[in-house]
Amino acid sequence: MKIMVTGGTGFIGSHIVDLLIKNNYDVCVIDNLSHSEIENINPKAKFYKCDILDPTVYKIFEVEKPDIVVHEAAQISNDYSISNPIKDASINIIGTLNLLESAKNVKAKKFIYASSAAVFGEPSYLPIDENHSLNMISNYGVSKHTPEHYLNVYRKLYNIPYCVLRYSNVYGPRQLSSSGGGVVSIFCNKIIKNQPPYIYGDGKQIRDFVYVKDVARANLLAIKNTCEGIFNVCSGQKISINELFKIIASILNKKLQPIYTENKLGDLVISYMTYQKIFKKMGWKPIYDIFEGIKETLEFYQ
Ligand SMILES: NC(=O)c1ccc[n+]([C@@H]2O[C@H](COP(=O)([O-])OP(=O)(O)OC[C@H]3O[C@@H](n4cnc5c(N)ncnc54)[C@H](O)[C@@H]3O)[C@@H](O)[C@H]2O)c1
């Protein structure tokens, strides 16, 4: 079976590619390398350096005829989405439409889409489940959510089954600490170098950190499974930013104090999700706890 992974040289995409190849899938990748390293590409995957907005995507699909599309390529920075809303929307919305049109043309059997907890915004109850209202507070939240509507319409019009996987905060090896990189990669890289990281606000903000290999496994199950719909992919664990700092500093045995700075505009106080739906439908639950995940991540950065 052939799988097209967009963003397959990126942080999450490259782990998905590795896992699919390990499971003997035929994998091809589209990525423009705008936020990734070519070194991340698995040598057994066929690589196309291409922008998802480029009409060539359609031709690549005609050549490769993928059975399933796993769409990870995106503009991932909240800040960038606010300063460049048009570019953000064109990559995340129009880029996805270009892929959906290409998938329709080759009669792909499933489209798996990487969505985000950003679609929920400020929670009105916790943990956040898939029925929670959507109250986006950034352009990125809107641009990640809009393709979910298109997927629903393409299902009705052209019978393309789909899975939307809404990830919480993903962390792990290969995550970049620049532009849109996660707090774990920023903290790890700072603390390794004996530099105190900045913490916005009082550090009591609660987040849900899920390890990248668990996320890759959720994608594998979504490929193998006939289940369709929207699923949270998360740890379900509440970790404060202060706790995260302490975990990383203690594993590295560093006696550093973070530098507290002004709260970031639009920073949520608390957000964590439940994975009960994907557990019931596909049997997925996270295997890594935060200590194991951080240890593996630190080994990579060191
Ligand atoms: N990392 C997280 O915590 C997180 C959380 C929720 C959702 N997501 C979603 O998961 C997916 C993967 O995110 P990631 O953290 O691996 O980010 P990433 O930036 O590491 O990966 C995205 C990849 O897409 C590529 N890309 C960007 N724009 C492109 C374009 N126009 N054409 C072709 N390729 C392009 C980049 O070069 C990169 O390789 C994204 O869709 C993101 O929105 C990530």
Side-chain angles (χ1 to χ4, degrees), residues 55-265:
T56 317
V57 166
Y58 200 80
K59 291 186 188 126
I60 296 172
F61 271 61
E62 283 192 327
V63 171
E64 294 295 342
K65 296 191 175 46
D67 297 289
I68 294 185
V69 182
V70 176
H71 177 32
E72 303 295 309
Q75 185 303 110
I76 64 158
S77 161
N78 255 319
D79 292 348
Y80 182 92
S81 79
I82 289 163
S83 51
N84 295 278
I86 296 172
K87 186 71 185 157
D88 171 72
S90 63
I91 298 169
N92 291 357
I93 301 173
I94 309 297
T96 305
L97 256 181
N98 198 23
L99 291 161
L100 269 171
E101 278 293 291
S102 307
K104 176 189 97 184
N105 183 44
V106 299
K107 299 188 171 52
K109 296 181 189 75
K110 199 169 194 178
F111 198 102
I112 299 167
Y113 171 64
S115 186
S116 168
V119 304
F120 294 116
E122 192 74 58
S124 52
Y125 61 84
L126 291 159
I128 298 168
D129 61 20
E130 289 79 356
N131 297 322
H132 192 285
S133 57
L134 306 179
N135 186 21
M136 293 132 280
I137 53 169
S138 74
N139 296 330
Y140 172 74
V142 178
S143 71
K144 289 304 291 181
H145 174 55
T146 306
E148 298 183 5
H149 291 294
Y150 282 109
L151 285 164
N152 198 20
V153 168
Y154 272 62
R155 175 67 170 112
K156 289 177 190 144
L157 292 180
Y158 311 115
N159 202 22
I160 305 175
Y162 72 91
C163 274
V164 168
L165 303 180
R166 288 179 179 157
Y167 309 153
S168 61
N169 291 67
V170 189
Y171 71 96
R174 300 183 196 148
Q175 186 170 30
L176 296 177
S177 49
S178 59
S179 62
V183 59
V184 173
S185 63
I186 296 169
F187 279 15
C188 287
N189 282 299
K190 282 268 182 190
I191 300 171
I192 285 171
K193 292 182 203 141
N194 267 324
Q195 295 168 354
Y198 285 96
I199 290 184
Y200 298 106
D202 60 10
K204 290 183 182 159
Q205 304 94 317
I206 299 286
R207 294 289 178 273
D208 177 323
F209 295 100
V210 63
Y211 191 54
V212 67
K213 288 186 184 169
D214 282 326
V215 173
R217 203 166 34 80
N219 279 275
L220 175 65
L221 287 179
I223 288 169
K224 285 182 169 174
N225 215 291
T226 52
C227 284
E228 287 185 59
I230 298 177
F231 302 93
N232 288 349
V233 175
C234 57
S235 70
Q237 298 289 308
K238 296 172 261 181
I239 307 275
S240 76
I241 301 300
N242 286 331
E243 282 168 323
L244 178 72
F245 168 77
K246 281 184 194 150
I247 291 168
I248 300 172
S250 75
I251 294 174
L252 287 169
N253 208 11
K254 302 270 187 185
K255 295 204 172 14
L256 286 172
Q257 285 302 319
I259 301 167
Y260 289 93
T261 180
E262 237 174 80
N263 235 328
K264 243 183 157 184
L265 198 70

